[in-house]
Amino acid sequence: DADVTQTPRNRITKTGKRIMLECSQTKGHDRMYWYRQDPGLGLRLIYYSFDVKDINKGEISDGYSVSRQAQAKFSLSLESAIPNQTALYFCATSDSRQGTKNIQYFGAGTRLSVL
Amino acid sequence: EDQVTQSPEALRLQEGESSSLNCSYTVSGLRGLFWYRQDPGKGPEFLFTLYSAGEEKEKERLKATLTKKESFLHITAPKPEDSATYLCAVRSGGGADGLTFGKGTHLIIQP
């Protein structure tokens, strides 16, 4: 089983709909992240969380919200989806106890299409 | 603002033909430079992390090096299974805790 699991793997939705992408991890890491990947743009940080009570905006948080339900679960919501949110979304985790050797481990991704 | 530029965007090599991928960066206080491999339809897979100029790491046919302005990923005698997109990312001392990624180098190794 994967250490970082994202659901669903693929999702097609319509403009204006609210959707949620979910991420769960069994690595025991305290930090979790959401990125989006667009062709020609690379991965960009949406939100990150140091623990259940500490959530921070990343580079491109507008139009998104997150919830850290437990140390192992971090969900990303699109309140009202729009077509330019069509992208590949990745969840990642890291262990702050590693200090500067803070490696991020990624899930397999969710491919989202907004029509 | 942290910036990462990777070159070339794409590279096609024959099996056994060695080459290097480049990652140049500007960052306020480098706290780590990371190399990842990404296969189609999958998430990035961690390869190496480098922290200070002069540092080198090796894994099978791959070797990563770091200077104060850039990093190289050297691929020696590559095989078709080395075909993938290679991503470079930096973690800085300021701003968000996340990584700043380059756009990647798409590497194809032909048999």
Side-chain angles (χ1 to χ4, degrees):
Chain A
D1 290 338
D3 294 322
V4 183
T5 302
Q6 293 185 236
T7 56
R9 290 296 316 279
N10 293 281
R11 178 74 184 269
I12 299 173
T13 191
K14 295 183 178 180
T15 297
K17 293 290 187 181
R18 183 182 188 277
I19 66 164
M20 180 183 289
L21 310 183
E22 298 187 337
C23 177
S24 63
Q25 52 114 347
T26 58
K27 298 180 79 68
H29 290 173
D30 55 339
R31 297 186 177 185
M32 298 186 75
Y33 310 79
W34 276 104
Y35 292 85
R36 67 177 276 177
Q37 185 176 38
D38 298 274
L41 289 179
L43 283 90
R44 291 179 292 166
L45 182 66
I46 306 172
Y47 270 95
Y48 62 103
S49 171
F50 287 158
D51 62 36
V52 174
K53 298 180 180 179
D54 189 348
I55 293 177
N56 304 275
K57 293 182 177 180
E59 177 188 354
I60 53 165
S61 59
D62 288 348
Y64 301 94
S65 62
V66 291
S67 174
R68 187 85 182 265
Q69 299 96 325
Q71 187 182 43
K73 295 182 182 293
F74 193 36
S75 60
L76 176 72
S77 294
L78 286 68
E79 297 302 325
S80 179
I82 56 177
N84 76 0
Q85 291 178 313
T86 294
L88 194 52
Y89 289 85
F90 288 103
C91 174
T93 73
S94 71
D95 185 354
S96 64
R97 292 170 298 179
Q98 292 186 354
T100 56
K101 301 183 187 300
N102 193 342
I103 298 166
Q104 292 186 18
Y105 297 91
F106 287 79
T110 294
R111 185 171 297 279
L112 175 66
S113 296
V114 183
L115 305 179
Chain B
E1 181 180 334
D2 301 340
Q3 289 190 330
V4 178
T5 303
Q6 292 187 246
S7 62
E9 291 184 7
L11 181 62
R12 189 182 298 265
L13 300 172
Q14 293 297 123
E15 184 173 0
E17 181 184 0
S18 301
S19 188
S20 297
L21 312 183
N22 178 262
C23 171
S24 62
Y25 64 91
T26 54
V27 63
S28 55
L30 182 68
R31 295 175 64 192
L33 184 139
F34 300 80
W35 283 98
Y36 286 85
R37 169 189 171 130
Q38 186 175 22
D39 293 294
K42 296 187 177 182
E45 175 188 349
F46 172 74
L47 292 173
F48 303 109
T49 183
L50 304 165
Y51 294 98
S52 57
E55 189 174 358
E56 299 182 352
K57 294 274 182 73
E58 283 190 72
K59 179 180 180 181
E60 296 181 353
R61 295 176 293 282
L62 300 177
K63 179 180 178 180
T65 62
L66 182 66
T67 72
K68 290 185 178 180
K69 294 183 179 181
E70 58 191 350
S71 176
F72 291 94
L73 185 64
H74 306 279
I75 303 176
T76 302
K79 299 181 178 181
E81 54 262 41
D82 294 322
S83 297
T85 296
Y86 290 86
L87 304 174
C88 174
V90 296
R91 184 164 175 254
S92 70
D97 182 59
L99 300 175
T100 299
F101 281 84
K103 297 178 182 180
T105 293
H106 181 50
L107 177 65
I108 298 173
I109 308 299
Q110 295 179 312

